Amino acid sequence: MTRPFAPARFAPARAAGAFVPDLLLENVEVLAPDGRPILRVARLEAPAGTALGIRGPSGAGKSTLLHVVAGLLPVASGRVMWGDADLAAMTEPARDAFRRARLGLIFQDFLLFEELSAQQNAAIAAAWAPARDRAAIRARAEALLDRFGAPGDRDVASMSGGERQRVSAARALACDPAAILADEPTASLDRENADRLAGDLLAMAREAGRTLIAVSHDPALIASMDQVVQVVDGEVRG
Amino acid sequence: MIAALETAWLDASPAVQDALRLALLLVPALVTGALALRGQAPGPLVRALLLRFRWTNLLFAGLMALSVGLGVALIAQERAIREGSARAADPFDILVAAPGDEIGLMLSAVYLQPASAPLLGGDVLDRLQRDDRLTLIAPLAFGDSHAGAPVVGTTAAFLDRIGGPLAEGRVWEAAHEAVIGARSPLALGDEIAPAHGAGFSADPQAHDGAHLTVVGRMAPTGGPWDRAVVAPVEFVWAVHGLADGHAPGAERLGPPFDPDHFPGTPAFVISTRTLAGAYAARARHTDATSMAFFPGATLSRLHLLLGDLREAMSLMALAAQGLAAAGVLGGLVALTRLFARRFALLRALGAPRRFVLAVVWAYAATLMGAGAVLGLAVGAVGAEALAGLVSARTDLALSAGIGWAEAHLAAAVFSLTTVLALVPALAAYRRSPALDLRAG
Ligand SMILES: Nc1ncnc2c1ncn2[C@@H]1O[C@H](COP(=O)(O)OP(=O)(O)OP(=O)(O)O)[C@@H](O)[C@H]1O
Ligand SMILES: [Mg+2]
């Protein structure tokens, strides 16, 4: 299923059947701005299409790990390989470009733009995409909102937590990413909404062979993942 | 190439030149905007930021508008005063007076500012009346007042020259009849007793028994004459107990006057048919006993003298704009810190740093642009209010409209601030998204 990945060019959207790269972290060390080490990863592997759960106590370094995998946080040493592309060796604009082309992010507190409609939030990537890709992003966003059962024309300010998180899931998928990275996506939801969203995310990942990496305290979500790692005191354990 | 451009520039009409200047002043804003926004579509997010912080945004745009408005009002006002004072001097082609203080005499004759001046006698009158190339010879006798308004003696011909056809009533037919200025509080039929002198030193008893009846009202002249009471010069002479300029028993008003019975006047207004004739007349009537001068030219020299002051004022206005803009931009830098989490989110979602720069720039430029346009409106209103104040004090009719100079100022300030808006934009561009994402 995996094919070699050319780091210099990231196709903007995954055409049907486009490949998903394997993830491999090796000897990664992350320092806080004050120089204190906050995360060490000897080795972490997630083959393409894996659903990987990350759990651990508060303050252990789970979000930090996710940010490193997303290329949002530079590492002090080690390799962060998505296929052949090493995020650790890339400049910030190159990491931005990689994230734009390959990754979709979901956050615990949704982080939607309250002043925009659900549709505008889900299609936010159209704002910086090349003009020729904008219509496709908007169309995908619309379809995803439908699929998740989120009302597209309403202001997000008037939405419930469950509806908001469905909008943010549509936003994460609107650019057809190879991997979905979610930081405690169900933590702000009630049981029913949490289960529904977890099911939707897994289904969306599975049917397109996407990798899903989710940080969660939710035993139900963790239980449905293919593979689970634990982060304790800044150390990743298998 | 450069020479061709120069000729094209010189050949262009003033309006075209002004429009081009405006376009040139906007070029920095357009170039910065084109570079900052290239390939990005920040519109919806900018609108979101504008709405989300609307009161703060209004405050910033308002500050900018006030500072632009102040500059606009000041330069509009200055120009209005210059134009208004020149317009008021228009009917006074050439003034002839005793050699000495041109400016003082111009202020007395044109703007009716009270001042004492030496008198010209019958010899000068005789020489003027023998000059057959003059089309108007009108003595001006000023120095009296009524209820704070100047009372001026002159001839019916000059009355016609300065005000044109009367708005109301008729011209005087006897020495005790007067015509009032367009803005005088008096009415036709009123009887008044002029006082000797003006202001605090006016002496209402001095001209005991001499009365004037108002028989006409002038059309507006746009100058201090609009508040004056204008009487036959013979009346002014008579109330001072002087000869009335005519042989005893002649019973006439207006020129020619009799040099032997001429009591003297501080100034004559004279006119010629042509401009060249005016220069020649000025030369002919300037000698040891009299000086002839163009009040318009004297006024221009005065304006020129004040030009340096004006320059300093515009520089100060511009510096004030710069300071205000810097303050507003400082506020924007602080405000964009508030947006940091949103920008970090955009970056996490894949937005390039350039997109964040485009959002901040477009947001700041929108506020500054709104401030500049609003500033023109504030300036127009402010200039109108200032003009009212100055008009009330000087009796000059001022029309302080917004012209090219004001548009140029607003455009220059807008351009400058859009370039400065790159500062908060670059500050946002450089921030690390991972740090700001966790700052709740
Ligand atoms: N920029 C930073 N400066 C200083 N310390 C930091 C910084 N970022 C993270 N840390 C520290 O690194 C550790 C890991 O933080 P992280 O947010 O990854 O934990 P987490 O496992 O996601 O916790 P939670 O479950 O509460 O979200 C914490 O002790 C945190 O204080
Ligand atoms: Mg966390």
Side-chain angles (χ1 to χ4, degrees):
Chain A
M1 170 125 201
T2 52
R3 268 167 272 165
F5 181 78
R9 291 170 53 86
F10 313 116
R14 242 167 36 91
F19 75 100
V20 175
D22 297 330
L23 173 67
L24 170 65
L25 275 72
E26 250 181 351
N27 301 325
V28 167
E29 189 171 33
V30 182
L31 305 178
D34 59 11
R36 197 165 44 91
I38 49 177
L39 182 70
R40 272 197 193 88
V41 189
R43 187 174 172 87
L44 174 64
E45 258 186 296
T50 307
L52 170 67
I54 301 173
R55 62 196 179 91
S58 185
K62 305 181 296 293
S63 295
T64 304
L65 174 58
L66 204 70
H67 289 168
V68 165
V69 167
L72 281 166
L73 202 57
V75 299
S77 60
R79 302 197 298 157
V80 181
M81 307 294 296
W82 279 102
D84 290 344
D86 183 2
L87 295 187
M90 285 185 194
T91 60
E92 192 170 347
R95 280 187 269 127
D96 283 353
F98 180 86
R99 185 166 58 252
R100 180 157 61 248
R102 290 279 176 263
L103 307 178
L105 273 69
I106 301 175
F107 305 90
Q108 169 185 341
D109 36 7
F110 329 129
L111 299 182
L112 297 172
F113 289 94
E114 302 280 315
E115 304 81 8
L116 302 182
S117 68
Q119 163 68 28
Q120 283 175 310
N121 267 287
I124 192 89
W128 53 79
R132 62 174 184 283
D133 296 336
R134 285 175 195 163
I137 291 172
R138 292 201 186 98
R140 275 191 63 87
E142 192 105 43
L144 283 159
L145 286 172
D146 257 7
R147 155 104 199 238
F148 286 124
D153 48 357
R154 255 171 63 201
D155 273 0
V156 296
S158 67
M159 289 185 170
S160 71
E163 287 169 325
R164 282 166 193 244
Q165 197 59 304
R166 275 173 250 150
V167 173
S168 97
R171 177 176 69 184
L173 285 156
C175 285
D176 197 7
I180 305 165
L181 311 185
D183 196 350
E184 315 211 22
T186 59
S188 300
L189 305 182
D190 58 32
R191 190 68 261 154
E192 189 186 330
N193 273 305
D195 289 343
R196 179 173 169 189
L197 185 87
D200 281 341
L201 281 181
L202 267 168
M204 291 298 291
R206 291 251 150 83
E207 71 196 37
R210 294 183 176 97
T211 300
L212 171 65
I213 303 178
V215 172
S216 188
H217 286 111
D218 181 351
L221 177 58
I222 290 292
S224 59
M225 306 301 267
D226 302 331
Q227 180 189 335
V228 177
V229 294
Q230 190 165 11
V231 184
V232 179
D233 265 350
E235 298 273 356
V236 175
R237 300 175 189 170
Chain B
M1 169 71 182
I2 298 219
L5 275 180
E6 207 174 301
T7 7
W9 176 257
L10 292 175
D11 285 348
S13 72
V16 170
Q17 286 188 359
D18 278 326
L20 279 175
R21 227 175 249 134
L22 185 70
L24 274 177
L25 282 169
L26 287 174
V27 161
L30 295 177
V31 169
T32 314
L35 288 176
L37 302 180
R38 194 165 48 98
Q40 320 287 331
L45 275 165
V46 172
R47 217 168 309 127
L49 287 183
L50 289 172
L51 278 178
R52 181 86 173 78
F53 298 93
R54 51 184 162 282
W55 299 116
T56 315
N57 296 332
L58 267 179
L59 180 73
F60 281 148
L63 279 177
M64 175 82 178
L66 273 185
S67 103
V68 170
L70 200 65
V72 162
L74 277 180
I75 57 174
Q77 189 55 29
E78 187 274 334
R79 196 190 45 220
I81 291 179
R82 212 160 6 102
E83 290 173 354
S85 56
R87 216 175 311 115
D90 255 1
F92 299 79
D93 289 353
I94 307 174
L95 281 177
V96 182
D101 178 12
E102 268 182 33
I103 291 178
L105 211 99
M106 175 196 70
L107 292 177
S108 297
V110 178
Y111 306 108
L112 298 177
Q113 300 294 307
S116 62
L119 302 182
L120 295 171
D123 51 335
V124 176
L125 171 76
D126 191 37
R127 193 180 61 216
L128 290 171
Q129 290 192 149
R130 281 172 198 285
D131 187 338
D132 56 9
R133 280 166 288 185
L134 300 184
T135 55
L136 173 85
I137 303 168
L140 294 181
F142 35 77
D144 289 344
S145 66
H146 171 260
V151 174
V152 198
T154 186
T155 66
F158 184 67
L159 192 69
D160 184 59
R161 157 61 61 98
I162 191 170
L166 294 186
E168 230 186 306
R170 56 172 176 81
V171 181
W172 55 69
E173 281 159 7
H176 65 275
E177 292 180 337
V179 171
I180 49 177
R183 296 169 60 211
S184 168
L186 298 174
L188 263 57
D190 282 0
E191 258 196 35
I192 60 165
H196 183 66
F200 289 122
S201 58
D203 177 359
Q205 254 75 61
H207 300 321
D208 245 359
H211 280 74
L212 277 173
T213 306
V214 177
V215 297
R217 186 189 288 276
M218 296 198 298
T221 66
W225 283 65
D226 284 348
R227 277 199 327 118
V229 175
V230 188
V233 65
E234 288 84 353
F235 169 85
V236 177
W237 284 326
V239 297
H240 286 91
L242 304 168
D244 74 354
H246 303 287
E251 290 299 328
R252 55 168 298 150
L253 293 177
F257 298 98
D258 184 342
D260 293 330
H261 297 91
F262 189 72
T265 184
F268 290 100
V269 183
I270 61 173
S271 292
T272 58
R273 233 176 301 281
T274 64
L275 188 64
Y279 279 94
R282 182 180 63 165
R284 273 200 306 282
H285 298 291
T286 298
D287 60 17
T289 54
S290 67
M291 68 172 178
F293 64 98
F294 302 125
T298 307
L299 189 66
S300 299
R301 282 213 305 285
L302 205 61
H303 287 156
L304 217 61
L305 209 68
L306 297 177
D308 290 342
L309 195 68
R310 191 165 82 232
E311 210 95 294
M313 225 169 73
S314 331
L315 272 181
M316 265 157 49
L318 208 64
Q321 318 279 308
L323 282 179
V328 169
L329 286 168
L332 285 181
V333 171
L335 199 60
T336 46
R337 284 285 160 90
L338 278 183
F339 303 161
R341 187 129 192 262
R342 296 155 171 267
F343 295 150
L345 171 63
L346 290 173
R347 297 284 306 282
L349 296 174
R353 294 191 291 182
R354 285 210 40 226
F355 179 74
V356 172
L357 182 139
V359 170
V360 177
W361 184 87
Y363 164 71
T366 305
L367 288 188
M368 298 293 148
V373 171
L374 222 67
L376 277 178
V378 168
V381 174
E384 215 40 68
L386 266 179
L389 280 179
V390 175
S391 281
R393 291 184 166 247
T394 61
D395 291 316
L396 287 177
L398 301 183
S399 62
I402 294 302
W404 285 107
E406 290 76 31
H408 289 160
L409 177 79
V413 174
F414 173 62
S415 260
L416 183 75
T417 51
T418 56
V419 175
L420 289 177
L422 286 175
V423 173
L426 283 170
Y429 175 91
R430 302 168 85 96
R431 285 180 76 85
S432 148
L435 272 182
D436 290 334
L437 257 189
R438 49 176 67 244

